[in-house]
Amino acid sequence: MQHPPHQSPQVAAVTALPGPRVPSREEDGPWHAEAVCKRDEAGLFFAPSKEPTAARLSREEAAKRVCARCPVMIACRQHALLQPEPYGVWGGLTAAERRVVLARMRRRAGELRQQPGSEPIAAAG
């Protein structure tokens, strides 16, 4: 199984598990074949252990600049949200930013289910 270009070996092992996949562009191959980050070092996209906050912020901003010029940024972001990828910068979003997006998506889905005319959702408990 081919993994996106900036994926660390540790993350590759985790994401090799079955799960939703972003559809590939049949005529050009998988979306990550066009990723700009495949030419960059994985260290730019994944934090080393015990990285100081200032260094992490600087590294993440540099990774986001790479993402900003990438033709497959949206597909990469969709992949990271669908998997979900727990680490690194994907599609211009950090792991923390992706958690916020996913929480908003879940909240919005819950609001849509609660609209008049929809089935009530049983409370968990």
Side-chain angles (χ1 to χ4, degrees):
M1 170 183 222
Q2 186 178 16
H3 295 285
H6 65 265
Q7 195 165 32
S8 70
Q10 295 84 5
V11 174
V14 171
T15 59
L17 300 174
R21 294 180 46 98
V22 174
S24 65
R25 293 174 53 195
E26 293 176 19
E27 68 279 4
D28 295 328
W31 63 266
H32 46 81
E34 298 178 47
V36 173
C37 63
K38 71 182 181 182
R39 295 182 292 273
D40 291 302
E41 191 171 319
L44 185 61
F45 297 91
F46 294 94
S49 62
K50 299 182 181 182
E51 182 179 32
T53 302
R56 177 182 54 81
L57 293 173
S58 176
R59 180 188 47 73
E60 289 173 345
E61 285 305 314
K64 288 178 179 186
R65 285 192 297 276
V66 172
C67 293
R69 68 178 196 266
C70 184
V72 295
M73 182 179 79
I74 299 302
C76 180
R77 182 176 294 178
Q78 289 172 337
H79 162 84
L81 292 169
L82 288 173
Q83 280 303 315
E85 292 291 351
Y87 308 105
V89 175
W90 291 81
L93 297 176
T94 65
E97 292 165 337
R98 289 192 305 277
R99 284 191 296 273
V100 170
V101 169
L102 289 170
R104 286 180 182 160
M105 291 169 65
R106 285 189 296 271
R107 186 170 49 249
R108 179 69 179 138
E111 290 169 357
L112 291 173
R113 285 191 300 269
Q114 296 296 329
Q115 288 181 349
S118 64
E119 300 271 330
I121 298 173

